[in-house]
Amino acid sequence: MKPKDGAWERVRCKVAYNVTKPDKAISLDLRCASDAYKMSLSANIEQNGTQLSGNWFEHEYRQGGKISGTNSDGVIEARIEGETVAALVTIKTKGNHQSFVMNAPGSWLSQVAIELNKDAS
C-alpha cells in the first residue's frame, strides 16, 4: 500500500468470502495490517448479469459507502464511494490466486496492491 505522502509499505491480509446466494451474492470480510496501518472491511455484493452493486464498511475508521461495477471472465472492475473516498478497484481471479489493485487519487491511501492465495485447507 502507498500512503499519499509516503513510500510503499508491506501489508498482510486475510479475506473470507461467504456465498449468500449462489451465483448472485457474496459477503466478504477483509482484514489487513502493516506496521503503521490496520484495516477491517466488510462488504455485501450482489450480481445481476455482469453488473455488481452493494455496500461496504471499514470498521477501524468507521466509514462506508456504495460499490458498483462489472464482473466478467474473472475480472471485477468496480468503483467504491463513500463520504470521504472514491476509488477504482480491479480484482482478478485465476485458480487459487487473486490480485486486488485500488487507486484512490487524492485520498490519504492513494494506492493498494494485494496478492492473495487460497489456503490449501
Side-chain angles (χ1 to χ4, degrees):
M1 68 178 202
K2 183 176 184 323
K4 181 179 175 182
D5 297 323
W8 279 94
E9 187 174 330
R10 185 172 174 85
V11 63
R12 292 190 157 295
C13 298
K14 285 187 179 186
V15 64
Y17 296 99
N18 181 31
V19 177
T20 55
K21 295 179 192 171
D23 296 327
K24 300 272 186 212
I26 65 165
S27 64
L28 66 89
D29 206 8
L30 174 68
R31 298 187 191 293
C32 296
S34 70
D35 291 340
Y37 177 75
K38 190 174 174 183
M39 178 182 77
S40 176
L41 179 102
S42 59
N44 293 296
I45 303 167
E46 292 197 12
Q47 182 168 328
N48 185 0
T50 61
Q51 298 299 305
L52 300 173
S53 62
N55 56 65
W56 62 275
F57 187 77
E58 200 292 316
H59 302 274
E60 296 293 323
Y61 298 93
R62 312 234 7 107
Q63 301 212 16
K66 304 269 182 213
I67 300 168
S68 61
T70 60
N71 179 9
S72 181
D73 298 323
V75 178
I76 294 172
E77 294 183 324
R79 179 172 175 85
I80 61 171
E81 296 179 274
E83 285 186 33
T84 62
V85 67
L88 299 175
V89 174
T90 301
I91 301 170
K92 295 179 182 176
T93 304
K94 186 172 183 180
N96 69 343
H97 181 79
Q98 191 172 66
S99 65
F100 172 96
V101 177
M102 181 191 81
N103 288 295
S107 173
W108 76 272
L109 187 58
S110 60
Q111 292 178 295
V112 175
I114 301 170
E115 301 291 326
L116 299 165
N117 292 299
K118 186 176 180 182
D119 283 342
S121 58

